[in-house]
Amino acid sequence: MDAGPRDVAGHARDVIGRYAPSPTGALHLGNLRTALLAWLFARSAGSRFAMRIDDLDAGRVRPGIAGAQLADLAALGLDWDPPVVTQSERLAVYADAIARLDGEGALYPCFCTRREIREAASAPHGPLAEGAYSGTCRELTAAARAERERAGRPPALRLRAGAVTVGFDDRLLGRVEATVDDVVVRRNDGAPAYHLAVVGDDDVEGGVEVEGGGDHGGAAPRQMLGGGRVGLPARLAKRHGAVTLADRLARGETAAAVRGDLAASVGLAEVGETPSMDVLLARFDPAALPAAPTVLAPT
């Protein structure tokens, strides 16, 4: 890793850890393990640990889920430094960031539907990865834009990325690089896009080190186009059979036993052991964590 994050004046900023669940359903074991690792990364470095609720996707947010997620994390022994940030309360911040980018000429309206993007992605378009945006609307004339507006197509706003290659040094995966296409910063329903919001949040929170599943590596370069610092522990996904803390408790297990299973899956505990958070903190060594995808099967 480098010497650490800097503010716009080049001054060093304190690095903090953070975890950011989306309140769309109960946290599965993969989510919980990521949260545990994020906490260990932060606390082992003597850093603050921030909690953020990513609730921008209003159509999928379910009432009461955010509180239940925080309760599960607390039951495992995690704590965090207040306040808990909620993205839906920060819409004005995102709108200001979008307005500044637009004022700099960095954005353009995109009228493409998802189907059109998928069809365009099948054609060769330079160094971009499969499925990346091909730039159909990047150079539309004023007349072409007006025609699409008259057709009733609400545009999204995209950032002129210019197929730039963005890279970062991951604690576990090493050097990760990807070519970034023109990412959406405001969706066609007017809501700020996730990639824009998380960068804005992390910048406000300070120098943030992020822990997430390995499948998030593809999103990191897009977010880092606007800033951010990323670390990615090994992957554990829902489709591998992960269940929730409530499921485990219903089977007669304790939260300490679940925490032990999560710790054992990354080599921090023996199978069947129930170490406390203090013990896990004493054992924690980022360099010893597995980098390969792992599976934690239900008992």
Side-chain angles (χ1 to χ4, degrees):
M1 300 182 70
D2 61 20
R6 306 261 169 183
D7 61 20
V8 291
H11 302 121
R13 296 193 296 178
D14 292 335
V15 176
I16 66 175
R18 74 120 171 94
Y19 184 65
S22 298
T24 58
L27 296 174
H28 61 76
L29 294 182
N31 301 139
L32 295 173
R33 189 178 69 171
T34 297
L36 175 61
L37 287 171
W39 187 92
L40 289 169
F41 268 104
R43 297 308 195 204
S44 66
S47 301
R48 294 185 295 125
F49 185 57
M51 187 67 61
R52 186 182 74 219
I53 304 299
D54 285 359
D55 62 344
L56 285 181
D57 194 349
R60 299 181 60 223
V61 171
R62 294 167 54 191
I65 292 296
Q69 290 176 335
L70 296 179
D72 280 357
L73 295 172
L76 286 181
L78 277 67
D79 64 348
W80 47 87
D81 296 279
V84 175
V85 174
T86 302
Q87 285 189 320
S88 60
E89 298 175 351
R90 295 174 48 78
L91 296 180
V93 174
Y94 310 141
D96 180 67
I98 292 170
R100 282 187 280 115
L101 287 170
D102 198 27
E104 295 169 1
L107 306 181
Y108 65 88
C110 174
F111 301 86
C112 295
T113 65
R114 292 181 179 178
R115 178 180 177 181
E116 289 169 340
I117 293 172
R118 287 195 301 269
E119 292 174 348
S122 63
H125 43 66
L128 297 181
E130 181 179 355
Y133 184 64
S134 61
T136 303
C137 291
R138 187 186 301 122
E139 304 301 334
L140 285 180
T141 64
R145 289 179 180 175
E147 179 182 354
R148 284 161 174 76
E149 289 171 353
R150 286 194 297 270
R153 284 196 182 189
L157 285 180
R158 288 186 180 270
L159 178 67
R160 295 181 183 273
V164 65
T165 297
V166 179
F168 62 93
D169 292 317
D170 183 275
R171 287 208 192 195
L172 301 182
L173 305 179
R175 186 66 181 173
V176 177
E177 292 186 347
T179 300
V180 180
D181 62 350
D182 292 359
V183 296
V184 171
V185 297
R186 192 187 71 193
R187 301 187 323 221
N188 62 6
D189 61 0
Y194 176 77
H195 296 304
L196 180 282
V198 296
V199 169
D201 291 333
D202 289 346
D203 184 64
V204 170
E205 290 166 3
V208 177
E209 179 173 75
V210 181
E211 278 68 51
D215 53 333
H216 290 182
R222 290 184 168 199
Q223 295 165 11
M224 290 188 68
L225 186 61
R229 298 178 56 81
V230 182
L232 300 169
R235 180 181 188 182
L236 190 155
K238 284 184 180 178
R239 65 174 173 271
H240 293 312
V243 293
T244 67
L245 178 60
D247 292 333
R248 289 296 183 98
L249 297 179
R251 296 174 184 175
E253 297 183 56
T254 65
V258 175
R259 182 176 64 229
D261 285 347
L262 299 177
S265 74
V266 290
L268 290 174
E270 297 295 330
V271 175
E273 188 184 2
T274 57
S276 67
M277 294 295 284
D278 287 340
V279 169
L280 292 179
L281 194 58
R283 294 176 180 175
F284 185 65
D285 177 8
L289 292 175
T294 57
V295 176
L296 180 59
T299 57

